[in-house]
Amino acid sequence: MRRAIYPGSFDPITNGHLDVIRRAAALFDELVVAVACNDQKCPVLPADQRKELIEDACSELANVSVLIFSGLVVKLAEAQGAVVLIRGLRAVSDFEFEFQMGLMNRRLSPGLETIFLTPQEDYTYLSSRLVKEVSRLGGAIEDFVPAGVAAALKSAYQ
Ligand code: ADP
């Protein structure tokens, strides 16, 4: 049984994240999507709402579960029995940070392998930050996020 873990802020989940989740869920027996509860990042949506939105978006993926965590990802991976850490790579701009983080995590937990997945091209320009900015300024974001997220952001910005 191979379990993978996909950590992130998911503030909010976008179709890019969902694409990575689908790919990872097809590769591993179980995928745990781990929502970071980090108030220093000043999230727009509370962690429990981010978790619910991911659960709704993944309801047809039977091997995907969602949890909230704080602290080191490698410790969570160990506690969950995960052998792989999933991260998404959109463009070269993601690479440097993800590369550093991957090497640090390997140093902290040598048995945990980081695997980078690339989304479908249409999603490579999508980021939670940009989606929030468009929504905050009154733009339509329905094409970029799973159902439910647009409404959640709209009411968060009211
Ligand atoms: P974090 O705060 O950990 O960067 P994010 O929720 O922004 O959390 O992203 C989690 C992971 O998903 C990161 O590896 C990020 O590069 C990846 N990711 C974000 N947006 C996309 C996207 N549109 N396509 C593929 N991967 C993405």
Side-chain angles (χ1 to χ4, degrees):
M1 211 282 294
R2 294 187 92 69
R3 180 178 288 166
I5 191 161
Y6 179 30
S9 305
F10 304 104
D11 184 39
I13 183 169
T14 69
N15 290 341
H17 292 125
L18 198 51
D19 182 288
V20 168
I21 290 172
R22 289 212 175 96
R23 286 171 200 280
L27 286 172
F28 297 96
D29 299 309
E30 283 184 16
L31 178 69
V32 176
V33 181
V35 178
C37 180
N38 179 356
D39 289 339
Q40 281 175 347
K41 282 201 173 182
C42 300
V44 169
L45 301 177
D48 53 353
Q49 192 176 12
R50 284 180 270 149
K51 174 176 180 270
E52 270 171 36
L53 290 168
I54 299 170
E55 281 168 346
D56 287 350
C58 297
S59 57
E60 86 286 12
L61 298 170
N63 62 340
V64 174
S65 59
V66 191
L67 54 73
I68 295 171
F69 80 105
S70 58
L72 279 177
V73 167
V74 293
K75 283 194 178 164
L76 175 71
E78 201 173 303
Q80 290 287 316
V83 290
V84 164
L85 185 62
I86 300 289
R87 293 291 285 177
L89 270 189
R90 285 161 290 191
V92 180
S93 51
D94 280 340
F95 180 77
E96 201 162 335
F97 173 75
E98 295 291 347
F99 182 62
Q100 266 191 330
M101 181 77 102
L103 290 180
M104 175 57 86
N105 282 335
R106 178 180 286 165
R107 187 68 192 261
L108 294 172
S109 180
L112 182 68
E113 209 61 71
T114 300
I115 292 188
F116 300 102
L117 295 178
T118 306
Q120 192 183 311
E121 306 87 88
D122 315 29
Y123 302 137
T124 49
Y125 65 93
L126 270 185
S127 70
S128 300
R129 185 190 56 78
L130 206 51
V131 160
K132 280 184 285 195
E133 189 66 358
V134 171
S135 176
R136 191 177 65 82
L137 297 172
I141 57 165
E142 282 77 1
D143 286 349
F144 313 131
V145 292
V149 171
L153 277 189
K154 215 172 188 176
S155 55
Y157 284 125
Q158 261 170 8

